[in-house]
């Protein structure tokens, strides 16, 4: 499932289609358009061009030259693919095909259909995209500090991993990068967020920044299910350096203990019982 680093990788690639007028739009009638309907999306995109691609947490947000704004969330397996030619490119599991005036194209493919494509404008943003105003500070953009984490955790008794996964607390982290950052900071995922000392928060802040920066540099993580690929079709490479995610039952690279698996906020969670003691 794409998290902040994967969506950031996608965002950077999509800058290649900025400024190209959309001359062709073909959409499925699928639930990826559930928020505003496929017709509304088609009407906004036809004849328009993207002025830039921004990222807010795991959302891609692209203002159009018309004043409207296109937005996407990849959820489980959404994939934007940049095409040299859009001709006959509406393939299986394709939900949106855009053709540009220069003959190139952009396709949104999503075998599971959990992703979302929608448009809004300044007036309708709060109604159509209410999550936008609730998103916590973006962990890939903000300088992450112990003070910021303490403020965002606000004395919560919830498990620290559950708090980090909550996009309203901090945005951009998902299951992979929470497990990796907590391991690097030597913090048990089930510890109440309020139990973290200033030293714990300082280590966690550094770990979050370091893990996310390294993941972006590697183009994100492509897992064995192949659910994330870059817009040029290539894979990310951060999965080869995962230290805990997906490694339960195997030895910890730091101490040799067998990594364990638990569930936090109904997500499978890997951790080292030695490096990440519960107290
Ligand atoms: Zn260990």
């Amino acid at each position: 499932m794409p998290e902040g680093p994967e969506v950031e990788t996608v965002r950077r690639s999509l800058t290649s289609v900025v400024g190209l007028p959309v001359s062709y739009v073909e959409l499925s009638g699928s639930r990826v358009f559930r928020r505003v309907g496929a017709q509304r999306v088609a009407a906004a995109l036809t004849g328009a061009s993207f002025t830039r691609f921004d990222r807010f947490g795991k959302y891609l947000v692209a203002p159009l030259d018309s004043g409207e704004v296109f937005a996407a969330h990849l959820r489980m397996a959404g994939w934007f693919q940049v095409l040299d030619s859009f001709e006959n490119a509406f393939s299986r599991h394709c939900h949106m095909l855009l053709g540009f005036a220069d003959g190139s194209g952009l396709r949104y493919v999503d075998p599971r259909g959990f992703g979302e494509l929608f448009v809004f404008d300044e007036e309708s943003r709060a109604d159509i995209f209410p999550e936008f105003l609730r998103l916590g500070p973006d962990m890939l953009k903000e300088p992450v500090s112990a003070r910021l984490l303490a403020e965002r955790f606000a004395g919560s008794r919830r498990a620290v991993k559950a708090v980090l996964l909550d996009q309203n607390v901090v945005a951009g982290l998902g299951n992979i990068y929470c497990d990796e950052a907590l391991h690097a900071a030597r913090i048990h995922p089930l510890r109440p967020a309020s139990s973290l000392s200033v030293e714990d928060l300082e280590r966690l802040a550094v770990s979050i920044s370091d893990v996310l920066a390294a993941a972006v540099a590697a183009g994100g993580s492509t897992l064995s299910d192949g659910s994330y690929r870059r817009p040029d079709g290539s894979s990310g490479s951060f999965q080869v350096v995962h230290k805990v995610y997906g490694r339960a039952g195997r030895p910890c690279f730091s101490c040799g203990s067998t990594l364990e698996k638990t569930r936090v906020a109904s997500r499978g969670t890997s951790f080292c019982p030695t490096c990440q003691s519960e107290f």
Side-chain angles (χ1 to χ4, degrees):
M1 180 192 297
E3 303 181 20
E6 288 75 29
V7 180
E8 176 62 17
T9 302
V10 173
R11 184 195 74 74
R12 293 179 182 188
S13 289
L14 293 184
T15 56
S16 68
V17 304
V18 165
L20 301 175
V22 176
S23 58
Y24 179 86
V25 179
E26 186 173 355
L27 305 180
S28 72
S30 77
R31 62 178 172 160
V32 306
F33 299 105
R34 58 195 174 274
R35 210 175 280 223
V36 299
Q39 284 185 350
R40 170 109 168 73
V41 174
L45 291 172
T46 303
S49 58
F50 300 107
T51 62
R52 65 177 187 276
F53 279 85
D54 294 330
R55 183 189 53 75
F56 297 92
K58 302 178 197 171
Y59 288 91
L60 283 167
V61 175
L64 303 168
D65 60 352
S66 61
E68 292 200 280
V69 182
F70 172 79
H73 195 302
L74 307 174
R75 302 284 175 203
M76 302 296 286
W79 176 36
F80 278 108
Q81 185 182 19
V82 174
L83 305 166
D84 291 335
S85 167
F86 70 87
E87 222 167 299
N88 300 318
F90 199 89
S91 60
R92 188 161 174 255
H93 300 313
C94 180
H95 300 283
M96 181 179 79
L97 172 64
L98 302 182
F100 300 108
D102 68 354
S104 66
L106 178 66
R107 172 162 81 174
Y108 178 78
V109 176
D110 191 342
R112 304 182 67 172
F114 291 135
E116 280 201 78
L117 306 178
F118 57 98
V119 292
F120 61 90
D121 58 21
E122 200 63 31
E123 280 172 26
S124 59
R125 185 175 70 183
D127 290 331
I128 292 173
F129 193 14
E131 304 95 323
F132 183 79
L133 294 173
R134 294 199 296 262
L135 280 175
D138 191 301
M139 294 289 94
L140 285 90
K141 291 180 188 165
E142 302 278 333
V144 186
S145 65
R147 175 181 290 197
L148 175 69
L149 293 178
E151 278 171 18
R152 300 307 299 174
F153 292 178
S156 172
R157 295 291 302 163
R158 293 157 70 199
V160 60
K161 178 172 173 184
V163 172
L164 292 174
L165 282 170
D166 184 340
Q167 301 298 299
N168 297 340
V169 176
V170 291
L173 289 165
N175 213 27
I176 297 172
Y177 300 108
C178 282
D179 282 7
E180 293 296 321
L182 287 167
H183 180 261
R186 304 193 306 279
I187 294 169
H188 194 287
L190 281 168
R191 277 185 57 185
S194 59
S195 76
L196 269 57
S197 66
V198 173
E199 292 75 22
D200 290 331
L201 290 168
E202 280 170 354
R203 287 198 314 280
L204 183 57
V206 170
S207 300
I208 289 171
S209 297
D210 288 354
V211 164
L212 293 178
V216 170
S221 301
T222 298
L223 305 178
S224 55
D225 64 6
S227 62
Y228 157 71
R229 275 176 289 172
R230 302 201 218 189
D232 66 1
S234 65
S235 297
S237 62
F238 195 68
Q239 67 282 0
V240 304
V241 296
H242 287 174
K243 293 195 166 56
V244 279
Y245 182 82
R247 295 192 66 250
R250 296 162 71 185
C252 174
F253 290 127
S254 303
C255 74
S257 301
T258 301
L259 298 176
E260 293 183 4
K261 190 157 195 173
T262 184
R263 285 190 91 71
V264 183
S266 65
R267 306 297 302 277
T269 297
S270 305
F271 68 99
C272 173
T274 305
C275 295
Q276 298 167 267
S277 70
E278 199 148 357
F279 301 101

